[in-house]
Amino acid sequence: MAENADSTCRAIVQYIGEKLDLQTQFIADMPWKQRESLFDSGQIHICWICGLPYVWKVEAGAPVIELCVAPVMRNARYQNRPVYFSDVIVRRDSRFETFEDLRGASWAYNEPRSHSGYNVVRDYLLQLGEKEGFFGRVVESGSHQKSLRMVIDRKINASAIDSTVLDAELRRNPAIESAIRIVETIGPSPMPPWVIHKSVPVNLRATIAQVLLEMHSDSEGRQILDQWGISHFTDVEHSSYQPIQEMARRAATVKL
């Protein structure tokens, strides 16, 4: 997840350790690609991961990971479901009023393994009958937060931002709201899940999931979840992520 979730993730990892009397460690001192590689090899055991790489890992066959839980966000627009959106943002003082106005505009996406910033946008363009050349200049920013800053700093016209990341940025810096405007909301999409490596013993996997599912009913747990606007964790099934799988297949021919 985005860097603005790090403090919450660190607190959740510590909470799991305290509840289960386990030695736990939150890994954040290396690039996310390296962390994902360590997760794939079983050296990292739990990961909060975008739905797109999750379905890719399952599609690869004989997956060594399984779903654990997914967060349900507190904001009313999530309707008490494990979903999120992609908010297409522009500067508030720009001329853009709708997504269609962005034809020929400059665009930033966070990275090509992202559902909310890349995959869902390509599928949305396909629905509009666009396969290539809709935007003018297109750049890879490296993260949702960097894309947001590029829009605010007038370095780029628009970008699709993970709504949970945007929510967190607005809580941290309410002044951002006066600088940007949402011209389209794409979604909902299935919420990025917490996944667990199968090298973890079956009983422990189930116990960790139960700790997370009950976290909101504990005062300490509730306080941690509140940091990032999470209402609670819920069970999810692989079928919940089939829409992401289908979008990726449809959008394979679309170029930003």
Side-chain angles (χ1 to χ4, degrees):
M1 292 301 292
E3 291 178 1
N4 63 15
D6 278 359
S7 61
T8 299
C9 290
R10 181 177 287 104
I12 292 173
V13 169
Q14 183 178 346
Y15 179 87
I16 292 171
E18 291 172 352
K19 289 295 180 181
L20 299 182
D21 194 23
L22 291 173
Q23 183 178 353
T24 58
Q25 180 183 7
F26 176 61
I27 307 297
D29 57 351
M30 63 182 69
W32 68 264
K33 290 182 181 179
Q34 187 176 349
R35 282 180 280 170
E36 185 177 357
S37 177
L38 291 175
F39 175 65
D40 290 340
S41 66
Q43 296 177 72
I44 289 177
H45 301 107
I46 302 175
C47 187
W48 189 2
I49 194 169
C50 175
L52 183 59
Y54 161 71
V55 298
W56 282 342
K57 292 178 194 300
V58 173
E59 280 183 335
V64 294
I65 64 169
E66 67 179 22
L67 291 169
C68 183
V69 296
V72 175
M73 304 305 291
R74 189 176 58 226
N75 193 300
R77 73 164 164 165
Y78 301 104
Q79 299 183 337
N80 204 36
R81 297 187 295 156
V83 299
Y84 73 129
F85 301 88
S86 296
D87 289 328
V88 179
I89 64 159
V90 299
R91 272 197 61 90
R92 185 170 290 276
D93 57 4
S94 74
R95 62 178 177 82
F96 308 108
E97 298 292 338
T98 67
F99 189 93
E100 287 76 9
D101 292 340
L102 295 173
R103 184 182 298 277
S106 55
W107 178 269
Y109 65 93
N110 55 332
E111 52 100 4
R113 290 175 60 81
S114 168
H115 174 69
S116 57
Y118 188 78
N119 185 52
V120 78
V121 176
R122 293 193 302 157
D123 186 66
Y124 187 79
L125 286 169
L126 186 64
Q127 294 176 44
L128 295 177
E130 303 287 343
K131 286 194 171 184
E132 187 173 357
F134 180 83
F135 300 116
R137 182 168 62 97
V138 176
V139 300
E140 179 180 345
S141 70
S143 74
H144 282 298
Q145 289 161 286
K146 289 179 181 177
S147 295
L148 173 62
R149 178 48 56 187
M150 290 176 76
V151 172
I152 293 173
D153 292 344
R154 304 181 192 274
K155 294 179 179 179
I156 213 80
N157 294 137
S159 183
I161 308 296
D162 176 324
S163 61
T164 65
V165 176
L166 184 58
D167 288 346
E169 287 297 297
L170 290 171
R171 283 193 299 271
R172 187 164 66 176
N173 184 4
I176 290 175
E177 188 169 6
S178 64
I180 64 169
R181 187 158 35 84
I182 297 172
V183 296
E184 184 62 272
T185 294
I186 306 172
S189 294
M191 184 71 180
W194 284 57
V195 291
I196 191 163
H197 201 274
K198 287 185 178 179
S199 61
V200 177
V202 173
N203 289 344
L204 181 55
R205 283 182 244 159
T207 303
I208 290 170
Q210 196 60 39
V211 167
L212 292 170
L213 291 170
E214 295 175 355
M215 193 171 175
H216 65 286
S217 62
D218 173 84
S219 58
E220 181 187 356
R222 171 75 270 149
Q223 186 176 7
I224 294 170
L225 296 177
D226 282 346
Q227 293 176 15
W228 215 68
I230 299 172
S231 167
H232 60 280
F233 287 104
T234 189
D235 287 312
V236 283
E237 298 179 353
H238 177 67
S239 60
S240 301
Y241 293 88
Q242 287 180 347
I244 290 179
Q245 204 168 24
E246 292 165 3
M247 278 186 258
R249 289 171 181 167
R250 285 197 304 263
T253 59
V254 179
K255 182 178 179 181
L256 286 186

